């Protein structure tokens, strides 16, 4: 694949509104049995590198299985086991790896690592997570809601807790698709992106955020790399737990999501995780299918 026609997926804005909706629909089709749209094994003969600086369960396994199901081969590259972990420049690593690999999934801390890889790689770069954005997660979440009959272009969504990378990608999704998103974050923990108040609102009151919501989303209070802040964050976030009581102002049919891993009894209760409101296990499964749709799109002839 030449540099001229390669395409990266670092941010939901790398696709148009119509393309995002088509990816969600395609993922549902793939989940339901590989309908004959294009090649049955579109990654046949292709090799995808999974280059991870951060630990992973769902991202690693879902990408490895997805590549396999699409007929390709995945190679896991632990950051510490290759020369970039010993200081090789990104531009050198990117140019070499993209001569071996057809696409590279990167899970890292700084988002600038992804943008630098994208600049120098001739193979598509996919954001498997950065501290700034997590677009694969949010696309999988949108697929899960669409599966359940929610109109993802007009729903009311809530985010409770830290304005982290997943929250940032939810903001981007709201602005592209046009749904309403209210985030409840403690002071000092607001999202790290600018937002359009037409679609996005930030409040300090979780009950205000969930009022009439069709979906409530949360995540851990302490993300990877923030372990030293854990005790302080527990105190600051203690009023931001997703509990059965917090669901009361929401729609009676509200769905609850969490990207996992969860700290049960902190940001979310066992009762809510195991309730009929929970889509947590469906959204984890759907990471597999949305990522297959992304790979199929980026590696199409």
């Amino acid at each position: 694949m030449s540099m001229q026609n390669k395409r990266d997926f670092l941010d939901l804005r790398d696709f148009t509104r119509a393309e995002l909706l088509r990816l969600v629909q395609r993922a549902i089709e793939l989940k339901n049995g590989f309908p004959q749209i294009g090649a049955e094994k579109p990654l046949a003969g292709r090799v995808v590198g999974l280059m991870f600086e951060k630990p992973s369960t769902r991202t690693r396994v879902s990408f490895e299985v997805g590549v396999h199901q699409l007929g390709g081969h995945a190679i896991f590259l632990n950051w510490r086991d290759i020369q970039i972990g010993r200081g090789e420049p990104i531009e050198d690593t990117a140019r070499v790896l993209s001569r071996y690999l057809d696409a590279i999934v990167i899970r890292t801390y700084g988002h600038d690592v992804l943008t630098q890889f994208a600049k120098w790689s001739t193979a598509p770069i996919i954001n498997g997570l950065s501290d700034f954005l997590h677009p694969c997660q949010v696309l999988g979440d949108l697929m899960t809601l669409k599966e359940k009959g929610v109109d993802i272009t007009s729903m009311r969504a809530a985010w409770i807790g830290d304005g982290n990378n997943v929250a940032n990608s939810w903001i981007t999704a709201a602005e592209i698709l046009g749904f309403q998103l209210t985030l409840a974050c403690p002071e000092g923990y607001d999202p790290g992106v600018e937002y359009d108040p037409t679609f996005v609102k930030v409040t300090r009151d979780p009950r205000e955020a969930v009022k009439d919501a069709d979906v409530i989303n949360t995540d851990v209070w302490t993300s990877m790399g923030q372990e030293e802040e854990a005790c302080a964050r527990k105190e600051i976030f203690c009023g931001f737990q997703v509990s059965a009581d917090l669901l009361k102002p929401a729609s009676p049919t509200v769905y609850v999501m969490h990207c996992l891993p969860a700290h049960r009894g902190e940001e979310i209760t066992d009762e809510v995780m195991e309730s009929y409101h929970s889509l947590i296990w469906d959204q984890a499964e759907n990471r597999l299918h949305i990522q297959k749709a992304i790979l199929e799109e980026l590696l199409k002839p």
Side-chain angles (χ1 to χ4, degrees):
M1 181 175 288
S2 71
M3 181 72 87
Q4 285 70 35
N5 62 10
K6 78 110 174 185
R7 194 173 185 187
D8 304 305
F9 183 54
L10 310 186
D11 183 335
L12 292 172
R13 296 190 192 282
D14 290 331
F15 289 101
T16 66
R17 183 180 191 272
E19 287 172 330
L20 289 176
L21 292 172
R22 191 168 69 242
L23 278 172
V24 167
Q25 181 57 42
R26 178 61 179 147
I28 292 171
E29 293 169 352
L30 288 167
K31 182 177 181 178
N32 291 330
F34 290 91
Q36 290 305 305
I37 302 171
E40 185 179 351
K41 299 289 186 182
L43 264 60
R46 304 291 190 98
V47 182
V48 177
L50 308 179
M51 191 173 177
F52 284 26
E53 185 179 15
K54 279 188 167 185
S56 171
T57 298
R58 281 150 290 276
T59 301
R60 177 178 175 177
V61 177
S62 59
F63 265 112
E64 285 201 30
V65 173
V67 170
H68 174 76
Q69 288 185 355
L70 294 177
H73 181 71
I75 295 178
F76 180 71
L77 301 166
N78 187 308
W79 206 269
R80 295 186 302 272
D81 295 340
I82 58 177
Q83 293 297 334
I84 196 167
R86 299 179 65 247
E88 184 176 40
I90 286 175
E91 57 265 37
D92 296 356
T93 303
R95 282 185 283 193
V96 170
L97 288 182
S98 60
R99 294 190 179 212
Y100 302 146
L101 302 168
D102 295 287
I104 307 171
V105 180
I106 299 177
R107 181 179 175 90
T108 187
Y109 289 93
H111 194 76
D112 59 315
V113 171
L114 285 158
T115 57
Q116 283 296 301
F117 261 95
K119 176 181 177 181
W120 294 102
S121 171
T122 54
I125 301 297
I126 298 172
N127 181 357
L129 174 144
S130 73
D131 283 351
F132 185 54
L133 296 171
H134 199 358
C136 290
Q137 177 66 53
V138 173
L139 260 189
D141 295 349
L142 293 170
M143 171 197 169
T144 305
L145 290 165
K146 183 175 173 62
E147 262 189 326
K148 296 296 181 182
V150 177
D151 185 342
I152 60 174
T153 64
S154 65
M155 63 183 176
R156 297 181 67 88
W159 176 272
I160 309 299
D162 191 16
N164 63 12
N165 51 357
V166 186
N168 290 341
S169 285
W170 266 95
I171 288 170
T172 306
E175 293 177 348
I176 295 172
L177 298 182
F179 61 83
Q180 296 297 309
L181 173 65
T182 304
L183 302 99
C185 308
E187 190 169 353
Y189 295 87
D190 287 351
V193 292
E194 293 184 6
Y195 56 86
D196 183 343
T198 307
F199 305 105
V200 180
K201 178 181 178 181
V202 176
T203 179
R204 305 291 172 226
D205 182 358
R207 294 184 74 84
E208 178 187 350
V210 304
K211 183 172 171 32
D212 301 324
D214 300 301
V215 57
I216 297 170
N217 230 308
T218 191
D219 196 358
V220 293
W221 295 339
T222 304
S223 297
M224 282 180 283
Q226 301 170 337
E227 287 78 10
E228 291 182 2
E229 305 171 31
C231 289
R233 282 174 172 260
K234 272 189 187 180
E235 189 173 334
I236 292 165
F237 283 85
C238 66
F240 290 79
Q241 184 185 72
V242 177
S243 63
D245 183 63
L246 185 62
L247 269 53
K248 290 176 182 175
S251 164
T253 57
V254 67
Y255 290 116
V256 175
M257 306 186 104
H258 190 306
C259 63
L260 299 176
H263 293 161
R264 292 172 179 249
E266 290 186 15
E267 74 276 2
I268 190 169
T269 64
D270 273 316
E271 181 184 10
V272 172
M273 282 194 75
E274 303 298 344
S275 73
Y276 67 90
H277 295 286
S278 173
L279 292 183
I280 293 169
W281 318 114
D282 289 341
Q283 69 180 119
E285 176 187 353
N286 286 340
R287 287 288 302 281
L288 168 65
H289 305 295
I290 197 69
Q291 288 159 188
K292 287 189 295 189
I294 293 165
L295 286 162
E296 182 183 60
E297 176 65 23
L298 294 183
L299 291 175
K300 65 186 180 184

